[in-house]
């Protein structure tokens, strides 16, 4: 059995003293992980980049893009290729709709909601619902305005459906296509922080139009002041989504080019909103004039002047 003196603890010096006496000795440094992280030296300029990533919601973007790149892509002529554009669940659609209705200053809609899985399901049905909402609400609005007039004869205006579909779908596809081409051209000249694919831009525009569905329903109210207040609210919400999403893509460009791009995006959005309100709801009625019909018992007398 070992003696009591052999079981006593012995204090050693630091690693430097130990290595000086015994060069072959092995030392292990045990430190608090929190203290170790505090003493780690961060590369210069990393703090500013982290702030940009936090504002853009870009902390996990590299990992997301890497995982997306590992997905198997099918040829474009197959059904599976287009099926991926509609591979989205109800939770994601509702989450993106909520994000378009409640834009957060300093947060990027694409980074937060779209980049992991851009889809066409939401934008397609939002545009389809908006088309019928505008057409039906426009017909009901005209009916309510002239309700009670003896000379008014209601005629359904089915052409409003086709006109609304042409306007909405052209805006939701052609404007993103033009914007995507412009951003690609500018990215070849200036290295920007953020770049978007065509599908992501279509997704942003599609979800930004959701606010106009309840707005179009409320446009039935036959008060012009109420309608214009509603359109200004819808413009403020949807315009904020577009401005906060596309500003990071152009802010590193020339100042005038960046401002002109954002102003053009907002002006086109205003033109769509005001044009739909003015054409489908505030247009003067020219075809609802009083008409007279002759009955079999009526006698028409024509008097000729000599």
């Amino acid at each position: 059995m070992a003696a009591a003196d052999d079981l006593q603890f012995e204090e050693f010096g630091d690693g430097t003293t130990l290595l000086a006496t015994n060069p072959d000795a092995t030392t292990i440094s045990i430190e608090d992980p929190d203290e170790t992280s505090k003493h780690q030296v961060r590369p210069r300029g990393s703090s500013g980049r982290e702030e940009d990533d936090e504002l853009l919601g870009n902390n996990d973007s590299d990992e997301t893009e890497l995982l997306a790149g590992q997905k198997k892509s099918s040829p474009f002529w197959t059904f599976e290729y287009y099926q991926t554009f509609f591979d989205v669940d109800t939770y994601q659609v509702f989450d993106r709709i909520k994000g378009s209705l409640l834009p957060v200053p300093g947060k990027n809609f694409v980074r937060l909601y779209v980049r992991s899985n851009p889809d066409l399901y939401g934008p397609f049905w939002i545009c389809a619902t908006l088309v019928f909402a505008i057409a039906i609400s426009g017909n009901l609005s005209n009916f309510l305005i002239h309700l009670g007039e003896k000379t008014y004869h209601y005629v359904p205006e089915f052409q409003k459906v086709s006109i609304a579909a042409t306007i909405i779908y052209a805006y939701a596809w052609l404007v993103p296509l033009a914007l995507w081409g412009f951003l690609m051209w500018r990215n070849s000249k200036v290295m920007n922080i953020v770049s978007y694919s065509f599908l992501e831009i279509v997704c942003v525009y599609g979800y930004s139009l959701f606010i106009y569905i309840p707005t179009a329903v409320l446009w039935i109210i036959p008060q012009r002041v109420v309608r214009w207040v509603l359109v200004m609210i819808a413009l403020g919400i949807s315009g904020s989504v577009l401005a906060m999403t596309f500003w990071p893509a152009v802010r590193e460009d020339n100042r005038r080019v960046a401002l002109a791009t954002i102003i053009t995006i907002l002006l086109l959005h205003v033109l769509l909103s005001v044009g739909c309100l003015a054409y489908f709801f505030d247009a003067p009625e020219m075809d609802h004039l009083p008409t007279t019909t002759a009955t079999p018992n009526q006698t028409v007398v024509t008097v000729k002047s000599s």
Side-chain angles (χ1 to χ4, degrees), residues 83-101:
Q83 189 178 11
T84 58
F85 299 150
F86 296 86
D87 186 14
V88 65
D89 55 27
T90 306
Y91 173 78
Q92 286 179 314
V93 173
F94 281 135
D95 193 38
R96 293 171 184 183
I97 290 174
K98 183 180 68 174
S100 68
L101 295 176

Side-chain angles (χ1 to χ4, degrees), residues 198-228:
F198 173 67
L199 186 59
E200 289 172 344
I201 297 177
V202 171
C203 201
V204 173
Y205 268 87
Y207 282 103
S208 69
L209 293 176
F210 180 83
I211 185 62
Y212 289 99
I213 296 177
T215 303
V217 175
L218 293 176
W219 278 344
I220 298 176
I221 301 174
Q223 296 292 332
R224 181 168 294 184
V225 176
V226 175
R227 292 175 178 174
W228 283 101

Side-chain angles (χ1 to χ4, degrees), residues 7-75:
L7 299 177
Q8 292 180 355
F9 290 99
E10 183 179 354
E11 295 184 0
F12 296 94
D14 57 1
T16 306
T17 308
L18 181 61
L19 289 175
T21 58
N22 188 4
D24 296 331
T26 303
T27 60
I28 300 175
S29 177
I30 301 176
E31 296 181 1
D32 188 0
D34 296 334
E35 295 294 331
T36 305
S37 61
K38 290 180 182 179
H39 294 292
Q40 287 181 350
V41 180
R42 295 183 179 180
R44 186 176 299 176
S46 62
S47 59
R49 180 64 179 178
E50 289 176 358
E51 291 177 359
D52 288 340
D53 290 342
E54 184 178 356
L55 290 175
L56 295 172
N58 193 23
N59 294 331
D60 300 328
S61 61
D62 294 338
E63 181 181 356
T64 303
E65 292 175 0
L66 179 60
L67 294 176
Q70 293 176 352
K71 293 181 180 179
K72 241 174 142 185
S73 58
S74 303

Side-chain angles (χ1 to χ4, degrees), residues 3-262:
D5 294 338
D6 296 337
L7 299 177
Q8 292 180 355
F9 290 99
E10 183 179 354
E11 295 184 0
F12 296 94
D14 57 1
T16 306
T17 308
L18 181 61
L19 289 175
T21 58
N22 188 4
D24 296 331
T26 303
T27 60
I28 300 175
S29 177
I30 301 176
E31 296 181 1
D32 188 0
D34 296 334
E35 295 294 331
T36 305
S37 61
K38 290 180 182 179
H39 294 292
Q40 287 181 350
V41 180
R42 295 183 179 180
R44 186 176 299 176
S46 62
S47 59
R49 180 64 179 178
E50 289 176 358
E51 291 177 359
D52 288 340
D53 290 342
E54 184 178 356
L55 290 175
L56 295 172
N58 193 23
N59 294 331
D60 300 328
S61 61
D62 294 338
E63 181 181 356
T64 303
E65 292 175 0
L66 179 60
L67 294 176
Q70 293 176 352
K71 293 181 180 179
K72 241 174 142 185
S73 58
S74 303
F76 71 92
W77 60 82
T78 61
F79 178 76
E80 288 78 9
Y81 176 81
Y82 299 96
Q83 189 178 11
T84 58
F85 299 150
F86 296 86
D87 186 14
V88 65
D89 55 27
T90 306
Y91 173 78
Q92 286 179 314
V93 173
F94 281 135
D95 193 38
R96 293 171 184 183
I97 290 174
K98 183 180 68 174
S100 68
L101 295 176
L102 301 172
V104 180
K107 295 295 182 180
N108 190 297
F109 183 80
V110 172
R111 299 287 189 181
L112 292 178
Y113 302 102
V114 177
R115 176 139 293 185
S116 60
N117 184 26
D119 71 289
L120 293 180
Y121 178 86
F124 175 81
W125 286 111
I126 287 174
C127 291
T129 307
L130 180 59
V131 166
F132 286 100
I134 290 176
I136 295 173
S137 299
N139 278 274
L140 288 177
S141 175
N142 293 333
F143 175 76
L144 293 176
I145 289 175
H146 299 281
L147 184 64
E149 297 180 4
K150 295 182 180 180
T151 59
Y152 174 71
H153 177 66
Y154 174 71
V155 178
E157 299 174 287
F158 295 106
Q159 72 275 10
K160 286 187 175 181
V161 178
S162 58
I163 295 174
T166 303
I167 294 173
I168 298 300
Y169 278 101
Y171 175 81
W173 284 91
L174 296 182
V175 174
L177 179 62
L179 180 59
W180 173 73
F182 175 78
L183 293 179
M184 291 291 290
W185 173 61
R186 295 306 301 175
N187 280 332
S188 64
K189 296 180 175 295
V190 182
M191 294 299 294
N192 294 334
I193 296 178
V194 181
S195 61
Y196 302 128
S197 66
F198 173 67
L199 186 59
E200 289 172 344
I201 297 177
V202 171
C203 201
V204 173
Y205 268 87
Y207 282 103
S208 69
L209 293 176
F210 180 83
I211 185 62
Y212 289 99
I213 296 177
T215 303
V217 175
L218 293 176
W219 278 344
I220 298 176
I221 301 174
Q223 296 292 332
R224 181 168 294 184
V225 176
V226 175
R227 292 175 178 174
W228 283 101
V229 170
L230 290 173
V231 76
M232 294 304 295
I233 295 174
L235 270 174
I237 295 175
S238 58
S240 299
V241 174
L242 296 178
M244 290 188 297
T245 300
F246 295 111
W247 173 249
V250 297
R251 65 181 176 184
E252 297 298 322
D253 204 337
N254 182 277
R255 193 72 175 178
R256 293 183 178 179
V257 175
L259 292 177
T261 303
I262 298 300

